[in-house]
Amino acid sequence: MGSAGDGLAGRAGAGSAEVRSLYDDWAPGYDADVEMWGYAVPSRVAELITDHLDSGRVLDAGCGTGLVGVAIAVRNPDLELVGVDVSAASVALARERNVYADLRVASLDDRLDAPDGSFDAVVCAGVLSYVSDVEATLSEMIRVARPGGRVVATHRSDLWGEQGADAIVARLVAAHDVTADVSEPQPYLPGHDEFGDVIEVIYLILDLAPA
């Protein structure tokens, strides 16, 4: 029997309701599936955050079952983690990990329920494929990050050009006091039948200027 992640490559651009249904159904087997597929994104994202930040609050936007939160907590247990995700089933599993100070069910297509500058860093791993407006979602992450903070997001290599991500990043840099670092494509789900070495992951780092 296949997992709910079968056909994953073709689900880009799905609406919030479809994404919620997919991940609610997939949540019980998600961790085992992505481990089998060689998913290394959580550890890399955790490294990019903890190398930049010794203490403070981190928003895990699209936290899923909490793999990124666990990876960050292993590297620096003093960071305060807040997670949001559209899937209630995934959030319930993330809560069982006991690494988040707060967890909420919310769509990243909506405005984040947080004041300006309220987080020292924001991470968004494996989520931009599903949001309706990548630029608006990244702008919200910049909004809730403090001056001197960092936003780390990942995006699929096949969608980067298709969605005009280079132009999006350029507009964000022009509109906000941030610098951007875009990685070369790297392995994403090398053991996945659809992804393999065809669909890779790009890491985007947005560093906000100090106050």
Side-chain angles (χ1 to χ4, degrees):
M1 181 180 295
S3 75
D6 290 344
L8 191 62
R11 293 180 182 267
S16 291
E18 183 181 345
V19 173
R20 182 182 299 110
S21 177
L22 166 67
Y23 281 92
D24 279 346
D25 291 344
W26 191 10
Y30 177 85
D31 291 3
D33 283 346
V34 296
E35 181 180 2
M36 174 179 64
W37 295 332
Y39 186 51
V41 166
S43 60
R44 178 57 181 149
V45 168
E47 180 182 6
L48 292 170
I49 290 298
T50 57
D51 284 354
H52 178 78
L53 188 63
D54 292 326
S55 61
R57 302 179 75 224
V58 179
L59 175 63
D60 187 354
C63 63
T65 62
L67 293 179
V68 171
V70 168
I72 291 173
V74 166
R75 290 181 62 92
N76 186 343
D78 294 329
L79 293 176
E80 179 184 340
L81 298 173
V82 174
V84 297
D85 196 271
V86 72
S87 165
S90 297
V91 167
L93 291 173
R95 186 169 288 112
E96 293 177 4
R97 298 183 183 276
N98 295 316
V99 297
Y100 292 93
D102 186 23
L103 282 160
R104 305 170 192 173
V105 178
S107 171
L108 295 186
D109 284 334
D110 300 329
R111 179 180 172 87
L112 292 169
D113 184 17
D116 294 0
S118 52
F119 291 96
D120 299 281
V122 182
V123 299
C124 182
V127 180
L128 293 182
S129 303
Y130 304 117
V131 301
S132 61
D133 187 332
V134 171
E135 188 167 354
T137 297
L138 288 172
S139 293
E140 268 297 278
M141 294 177 195
I142 293 171
R143 179 185 68 80
V144 301
R146 65 161 174 80
R150 168 171 285 190
V151 175
V152 175
T154 70
H155 205 21
R156 284 169 35 177
S157 60
D158 60 321
L159 299 178
W160 187 269
E162 180 181 317
Q163 296 180 343
D166 282 328
I168 288 173
V169 171
R171 288 195 295 270
L172 292 172
V173 168
H176 306 277
D177 199 1
V178 301
T179 58
D181 182 15
V182 178
S183 78
E184 293 296 320
Q186 299 177 31
Y188 192 14
L189 298 170
H192 190 281
D193 288 344
E194 294 177 288
F195 284 63
D197 57 2
V198 177
I199 298 176
E200 296 182 294
V201 63
I202 292 172
Y203 295 88
L204 170 64
I205 304 170
L206 298 169
D207 283 327
L208 283 69

